[in-house]
Amino acid sequence: MRTALMGFIFCLGQIPLFSFTKPYYQCPYNEKSNVIEFCKLYAAAYVPLLESNYSSPNTWTRYVGDRLSPITFNSNNKNQLLEEFETIIHESTHQKNSRDVVYVSPQVEFYTSTEEKNLILNCFKSERIGEFFSEEQKESIFRFKTYIGLNNSNTSNVYGIWGLLDEFTAYQNGCSASLMAYEKALSLKDTATALIFIKESIKTYFAYFEFRAFIGAYLKYAKEYEADFYQELLQFTALRKAFTLNSNLFLSSHYKINQSVKRLKRHYSSIQWLYEYNQKTYEKPAVAAMNAFKPELEAFSAPFELEYAWAKPSSAPANKK
């Protein structure tokens, strides 16, 4: 019991709450090339993202809870590559995203019009949506304080719904890339590596529910208190399309995690405890929060659901009551 608990605490301690890039870091050529070669093997679709927008772990400042967690990344160390791969994709997605474009997948990115760029600058801060969450929810939703907290300088707060979408796409791409790598490792009959990748996905998949709750709350606040701005959001086609597709792709990742019991068979027991813990501790309160904004979320996505139905899984595990 004590040994399992120690491993359990260590694993949870690796869930990053907040990372940001330090400027003026000159990335060694061999570091970037090593990461790209690693990506070619396990998640080749993401190679172009890394070639143009690679974010080195050595540029990040990472906080786990309130504590600074130092990073010394060595791309020649396979274990470090395995551990940081999902976050590299996450942070590289941030590098790609801007007021001009949002990167939703290796196949799809959306560009904003001049009017949409101007609207992004007029977004109210996300911290205003806090009134729609109880104090208990603010404590139980894992990423609430990090991304919605009062006076937070994170872009998810400062740039409102566009900043929330930026984080939503970063978490989705990181999770999707890690699951792509998991499936590749299984095809290579490397179960040990596959387990590492899927564990990383299990640490972040529930961001799907959290960011849909945050975005749903943002839409509700705009509808109730900023009626003119809400109407402008309804005309923000790039935002609505990106949100709809990103939601469907993230939902597919959740479905793949649920299906892992069939694919991993006897090896599933090595990830079962972590998945069940995250379902109970993090997914459950986030789902409850998300469902409170179901009308806003459905209305926002409705015009584009048919267009992006291809990205949905055959069964949708996140449609919970």
Side-chain angles (χ1 to χ4, degrees):
M1 181 70 176
R2 184 178 176 83
T3 303
L5 181 61
M6 289 299 289
F8 174 75
I9 292 171
F10 174 78
C11 232
L12 289 181
Q14 297 304 304
I15 301 177
L17 279 177
F18 178 42
S19 300
F20 62 88
T21 301
K22 294 180 287 188
Y24 314 125
Y25 172 77
Q26 185 65 43
C27 178
Y29 172 79
N30 67 322
E31 178 192 317
K32 181 176 178 179
S33 61
N34 287 346
V35 174
I36 288 174
E37 287 303 310
F38 182 85
C39 189
K40 283 180 181 177
L41 176 59
Y42 291 109
Y46 281 93
V47 167
L49 174 68
L50 297 183
E51 288 176 335
S52 60
N53 293 278
Y54 173 64
S55 178
S56 168
N58 289 313
T59 68
W60 308 339
T61 299
R62 173 180 291 163
Y63 287 88
V64 179
D66 296 327
R67 297 180 180 178
L68 183 64
S69 179
I71 301 170
T72 305
F73 177 65
N74 179 0
S75 65
N76 293 306
N77 184 319
K78 184 179 179 181
N79 289 333
Q80 289 190 25
L81 281 167
L82 290 168
E83 291 170 1
E84 297 291 0
F85 180 67
E86 179 171 335
T87 311
I88 288 171
I89 298 299
H90 176 117
E91 295 297 333
S92 297
T93 299
H94 283 313
Q95 291 272 87
K96 173 73 174 178
N97 288 346
S98 69
R99 280 201 302 141
D100 299 322
V101 62
V102 59
Y103 180 90
V104 179
S105 78
Q107 294 77 33
V108 183
E109 50 196 54
F110 294 95
Y111 290 85
T112 55
S113 66
T114 300
E115 293 77 11
E116 290 170 339
K117 290 182 182 67
N118 291 333
L119 185 60
I120 291 168
L121 295 177
N122 292 327
C123 288
F124 58 82
K125 288 185 177 182
S126 300
E127 63 189 32
R128 292 198 202 174
I129 71 175
E131 69 175 68
F132 292 125
F133 296 86
S134 68
E135 292 305 313
E136 181 181 355
Q137 286 179 314
K138 291 174 184 178
E139 293 295 327
S140 63
I141 297 174
F142 183 68
R143 295 180 175 91
F144 185 90
K145 290 183 179 179
T146 303
Y147 295 109
I148 309 296
L150 195 63
N151 299 319
N152 194 321
S153 61
N154 200 344
T155 56
S156 59
N157 181 28
V158 175
Y159 291 102
I161 196 169
W162 189 252
L164 291 172
L165 179 68
D166 173 39
E167 285 295 344
F168 193 30
T169 58
Y171 275 106
Q172 179 272 125
N173 276 294
C175 189
S176 295
S178 197
L179 285 168
M180 190 182 295
Y182 149 77
E183 292 176 334
K184 178 64 175 183
L186 284 182
S187 74
L188 297 172
K189 302 189 185 306
D190 186 354
T191 305
T193 296
L195 288 171
I196 294 172
F197 281 127
I198 197 167
K199 281 180 180 177
E200 294 304 311
S201 295
I202 288 171
K203 295 173 188 176
T204 57
Y205 82 91
F206 51 91
Y208 166 84
F209 306 103
E210 295 170 327
F211 280 93
R212 280 179 60 84
F214 301 156
I215 290 171
Y218 195 97
L219 292 169
K220 183 173 182 177
Y221 188 99
K223 185 169 63 174
E224 294 187 0
Y225 299 112
E226 303 280 351
D228 291 341
F229 177 71
Y230 179 69
Q231 291 303 316
E232 290 182 293
L233 286 180
L234 294 183
Q235 301 303 314
F236 197 160
T237 303
L239 171 68
R240 296 180 75 178
K241 285 189 170 186
F243 171 74
T244 304
L245 178 56
N246 198 73
S247 293
N248 290 351
L249 290 169
F250 219 159
L251 194 59
S252 291
S253 290
H254 188 200
Y255 178 71
K256 289 174 184 176
I257 292 172
N258 279 342
Q259 293 299 300
S260 64
V261 63
K262 298 178 181 178
R263 299 202 60 188
L264 291 173
K265 298 178 181 178
R266 66 185 176 85
H267 298 287
Y268 180 73
S269 60
S270 66
I271 64 167
Q272 183 177 8
W273 65 271
L274 178 61
Y275 188 33
E276 290 180 351
Y277 179 87
N278 285 354
Q279 285 179 306
K280 178 182 177 181
T281 308
Y282 303 123
E283 178 184 332
K284 186 177 179 180
V287 168
M290 179 188 73
N291 285 341
F293 307 107
K294 188 174 180 180
E296 289 79 15
L297 292 167
E298 289 184 347
F300 203 60
S301 290
F304 309 103
E305 284 291 358
L306 184 60
E307 182 177 357
Y308 298 116
W310 57 267
K312 277 189 172 181
S314 56
S315 176
N319 292 339
K320 300 181 179 182
K321 302 295 184 184

